[in-house]
Amino acid sequence: MCGIVGYVGGSRSIEVLMEGLQRLEYRGYDSAGLAVQPGEGRLEVLRRVGPLRELERAVAERNGGFGEVLAGIGHTRWATHGRPSEENAHPHVGGDGRVAVVHNGIVENHAELRKGLERRGVGFRSETDTEVIAHLLAERLEGGASLAEAFGEVMEMLEGAFAVAAISADEPGTVVAGRRQSPLVVGLGEGENFLASGVPALLGFTHRFVLVENDEMAVVTRSSVELRRFGGEPVEREPFEVDWDPEAVELGGFPDYMSKEIHEQPQAIRATLDGRLGEDGMVDLSEVGIDLSGVERVVVVACGTAYHAGLLGKYFIERYARVPVEVAVASEYRYSDPVGDPGTLVVAISQSGETTDTLAAVDAAKGCGARVLAITNTRGSLITREADGVLLTRTGPEICVAATKTFVAQVVALDLLAMELGRSRETLAEERLRELVGELRLAPERVQEAIESVSGRLDEASALFEEARCSLFLGRGVAYPVALEGALKLKEISYLPAEGYPAGEMKHGPIALIDERCPVVALFGSGIHREKTLSNVQETVARGARVVAVAFPDDEEASGVASVVLPVPRVPETIVPLVLTVPLQMLAHEVATDRGLDVDKPRNLAKSVTVE
Ligand code: HGA
């Protein structure tokens, strides 16, 4: 959440800062701002409340531009302290406006720091926690410290999680930035250097990066990048190359990132399977580097959509490997005094690899002696450095705030893990494993078929939601976590209340919601779960519900109870959750766009949740 960007170099400062912000806008869109050095000894700040286009307009209105900008920092905000307003927008300036800062995270001791500053006569202009940083820097600069010295000193005073970048009018051509827990990377160029909250922001400009670790800062000029600890000790670190194609963060003809990412799911699954299914019909997860044979218990920790993937993981791991699995919401687990030992494998799932609660859950797991396997989409992210082993989903960058392709890739990764655990614990016979691997290989094609077969029916299904005041998503077995995910997708992007429920549990409460303005989305898999779901759905129809059925095309009974059917190809149980998920993502997209909403940037949300 909140995106920060910085640049030092030649004549394209504004272009880099604005493009960087555009690529980071998914992290927050309450306000956006820039601080630039338009020449020696000067600092200019431009901020606008609302989405980035407001700042873009303000930049365009400055016909003369900013002149030769030596360095600059930019910010896109997801407010935590202080409502979205121009006063609360970053950058914040300190003293007489000669130093400016942008910040991602929360300064937990801001109230105490603010009191101290006020006692010393400092006046505040905003309600943010961030502004204290600007004033603390200004005090030290006025006392004769260099920007880098002042910055290190101030960072050591802060509690909480943060990434901060700063520039000073008195040090033209220098940006300093540092972090604790919140993400920050430095991008390396020729005669120019960059920094940002995430690699994708800079892919249009460079593919070479250096990581800034916890409690470290970077002093960046156009010709140098110096890393040091906040205390001043120098740090040496090798740069790394990122091979993501900048095209991957373009829309490529789709109306929005959500559609693009839904359509990329077959490829995301293919890439996540690539190299992990051997010619011999077996799974190969040796890359993980954790001996799985001694695992006696699994705990999955995750937030949001990744938590739903974890619930599916439980289903597969228990079935194939016969080890008990718990699935915990990371923000609860981290404060729960968890029980663990070396026989406990904690699987931490985070698309960004930067989710604050999941990172804290990893710490808690390690603290009780468990081993940690991270499932993430982001190579080099914080979680990959904290965990004992890593299983990367390989979907390419996901820009839309609502996760789609990373969810299916997480489910596939968990499926692979379940099979590998089953193999190493010898609970899965070789023949059965080969069968399962064969089924998994079919997933990309079947998901593609699901996308195609649902496309023509969305209008009709969405029409049931026109007058809706709430909705119910029902499923059993593997379809139950998918129902939770479908309900989450709908509420995230259409703002329509949606409950995901185990179909059999519906009679214990939610059935009271049912009337003609509470559409039911029913997920029919196969076997006993399907039969039981059918009876439960009939109970809702008897009470006036209108039903969207996600079912196999030849399931006449399911079609019989439904107002609209979204057909998905008949597939083996391993990949049922994948094909059931697709129609729900597409339905949520359709309902939200019919309501005229921006599906990529739903209100109040941001992509990487880097605050508690
Ligand atoms: N606390 C700061 C920054 C918020 C943030 O990083 N959100 O993700 C503010 O409220 O402006």
Side-chain angles (χ1 to χ4, degrees):
M1 287 165 157
C2 283
I4 66 178
V5 61
Y7 177 75
V8 197
S11 53
R12 57 174 181 163
S13 308
I14 299 296
E15 181 201 334
V16 172
L17 292 171
M18 292 307 288
E19 184 174 325
L21 288 182
Q22 230 173 52
R23 297 207 190 281
L24 287 171
E25 203 192 3
Y26 65 91
R27 297 178 75 101
Y29 25 88
D30 288 334
S31 62
L34 293 177
V36 295
Q37 295 170 335
E40 307 262 333
R42 291 175 53 216
L43 200 75
E44 255 194 70
V45 175
L46 193 60
R47 311 183 293 182
R48 288 293 180 270
V49 70
L52 187 63
R53 62 175 175 273
E54 299 300 329
L55 182 68
E56 282 166 350
R57 201 169 294 146
V59 169
E61 276 163 11
R62 295 182 56 121
N63 283 329
F66 291 85
E68 173 80 3
V69 169
L70 304 168
I73 53 180
H75 189 264
T76 173
R77 179 170 189 242
W78 187 85
T80 65
H81 290 60
R83 76 209 142 82
S85 68
E86 197 157 313
E87 299 73 53
N88 290 334
H90 302 216
H92 291 281
V93 294
D96 53 3
R98 298 193 69 73
V99 61
V101 300
V102 289
H103 163 222
N104 163 216
I106 292 176
V107 179
E108 283 173 0
N109 56 339
H110 72 99
E112 184 192 324
L113 294 169
R114 186 173 181 135
K115 261 191 223 140
L117 283 158
E118 280 170 342
R119 268 198 300 273
R120 298 195 291 280
V122 173
F124 277 77
R125 304 175 186 95
S126 79
E127 305 152 319
T128 63
D129 51 336
T130 306
E131 196 181 338
V132 296
I133 306 175
H135 295 302
L136 290 169
L137 282 176
E139 278 187 337
R140 278 150 190 80
L141 294 174
E142 279 154 25
S146 70
L147 180 61
E149 286 161 357
F151 191 86
E153 217 178 288
V154 171
M155 293 302 107
E156 289 198 309
M157 298 169 71
L158 307 182
E159 286 168 18
F162 51 83
V164 180
I167 53 174
S168 154
D170 300 310
E171 292 187 37
T174 301
V175 177
V176 293
R179 75 166 195 95
R180 179 180 299 148
Q181 278 164 36
S182 300
L184 180 70
V185 293
V186 174
L188 304 175
E190 297 291 328
E192 58 183 355
N193 286 309
F194 316 81
L195 57 91
S197 300
V199 162
L202 301 175
L203 284 178
F205 306 109
T206 183
H207 284 256
R208 287 185 73 225
F209 294 89
V210 183
L211 290 172
V212 182
E213 297 282 9
N214 268 339
D215 288 344
E216 288 178 4
M217 54 186 273
V219 184
V220 183
T221 69
R222 61 185 302 171
S223 54
S224 65
V225 173
E226 187 207 320
L227 289 184
R228 50 169 99 161
R229 307 275 310 161
F230 289 159
E233 312 85 83
V235 172
E236 294 291 328
R237 183 159 306 120
E238 286 300 309
F240 64 98
E241 297 271 338
V242 172
D243 56 5
W244 278 356
D245 179 353
E247 294 273 302
V249 289
E250 303 293 347
L251 275 175
F254 286 93
D256 47 62
Y257 283 107
M258 186 172 184
S259 316
K260 176 179 184 245
E261 289 159 4
I262 287 173
H263 284 82
E264 283 172 350
Q265 292 183 112
Q267 179 49 26
I269 297 171
R270 224 170 262 125
T272 302
L273 291 176
D274 191 32
R276 291 164 175 164
L277 299 181
E279 289 297 310
D280 58 354
M282 298 302 230
V283 178
D284 180 4
L285 285 193
S286 46
E287 67 190 278
V288 161
I290 297 180
D291 173 17
L292 298 175
S293 59
V295 172
E296 283 153 12
R297 175 178 167 245
V298 174
V299 181
V300 182
V301 293
C303 306
T305 287
Y307 171 76
H308 299 152
L311 292 173
L312 285 165
K314 171 181 166 73
Y315 192 92
F316 290 121
I317 295 169
E318 287 186 343
R319 178 162 276 207
Y320 304 156
R322 310 306 298 155
V323 280
V325 182
E326 288 157 52
V327 189
V329 169
S331 56
E332 290 297 316
Y333 180 88
R334 65 180 289 189
Y335 293 116
S336 69
D337 195 6
V339 180
D341 56 29
T344 305
L345 179 70
V346 169
V347 180
I349 314 173
S350 162
Q351 177 278 130
S352 64
E354 315 282 357
T355 314
T356 296
D357 285 321
T358 311
L359 289 169
V362 167
D363 268 359
K366 287 166 78 176
C368 66
R371 288 174 300 163
V372 177
L373 168 65
I375 297 183
T376 179
N377 199 39
T378 317
R379 195 185 293 277
S381 59
L382 296 179
I383 208 166
T384 62
R385 286 172 268 155
E386 300 293 326
D388 300 303
V390 178
L391 185 54
L392 283 175
T393 51
R394 304 185 188 123
T395 76
E398 186 174 67
I399 307 294
C400 176
V401 168
T404 53
K405 62 177 177 174
T406 52
F407 173 73
V408 297
Q410 286 162 359
V411 174
V412 166
L414 286 159
D415 223 334
L416 288 170
L417 176 65
M419 292 180 197
E420 180 74 346
L421 271 166
R423 192 190 57 78
S424 53
R425 290 173 47 80
E426 298 177 2
T427 47
L428 204 53
E430 233 181 88
E431 199 182 324
R432 176 71 184 131
L433 181 56
R434 285 213 170 86
E435 219 173 272
L436 292 170
V437 164
E439 291 173 8
L440 204 48
R441 281 188 202 280
L442 297 174
E445 257 172 70
R446 297 296 175 264
V447 165
Q448 180 63 41
E449 284 167 30
I451 293 172
E452 286 163 17
S453 67
V454 167
S455 293
R457 316 266 178 120
L458 293 167
D459 266 8
E460 230 186 311
S462 173
L464 299 189
F465 291 78
E466 245 164 54
E467 301 292 322
R469 46 174 186 77
C470 63
S471 58
L472 210 51
F473 286 65
L474 301 177
R476 284 175 178 249
V478 288
Y480 161 52
V482 179
L484 292 178
E485 176 57 11
L488 178 64
K489 235 34 15 166
L490 188 72
K491 47 188 161 200
E492 275 182 303
I493 62 169
S494 76
Y495 317 148
L496 187 70
E499 288 260 21
Y501 241 78
E505 184 67 7
M506 180 219 29
K507 283 200 283 287
H508 300 275
I511 198 165
L513 294 173
I514 297 290
D515 63 17
E516 65 292 347
R517 290 184 61 209
C518 177
V520 169
V521 180
L523 307 179
F524 295 92
S526 50
I528 186 75
H529 291 134
R530 176 201 155 275
E531 279 168 38
K532 298 290 171 189
T533 302
L534 190 60
S535 315
N536 298 135
V537 173
Q538 264 151 348
E539 290 154 9
T540 70
V541 174
R543 286 157 181 83
R546 289 185 297 165
V547 175
V548 176
V550 180
F552 299 145
D554 53 358
D555 190 337
E556 283 171 16
E557 284 176 306
S559 308
V561 293
S563 302
V564 182
V565 181
L566 299 177
V568 291
R570 184 174 280 283
V571 291
E573 199 184 20
T574 344
I575 54 177
V576 163
L578 303 176
V579 298
L580 291 182
T581 298
V582 169
L584 305 191
Q585 299 166 336
M586 294 174 81
L587 176 64
H589 180 276
E590 187 79 6
V591 172
T593 45
D594 284 354
R595 293 179 168 221
L597 298 169
D598 180 345
V599 292
D600 286 340
K601 297 193 213 93
R603 71 181 180 205
N604 303 340
L605 288 170
K607 183 83 184 158
S608 321
V609 184
T610 55
V611 293
E612 260 193 75

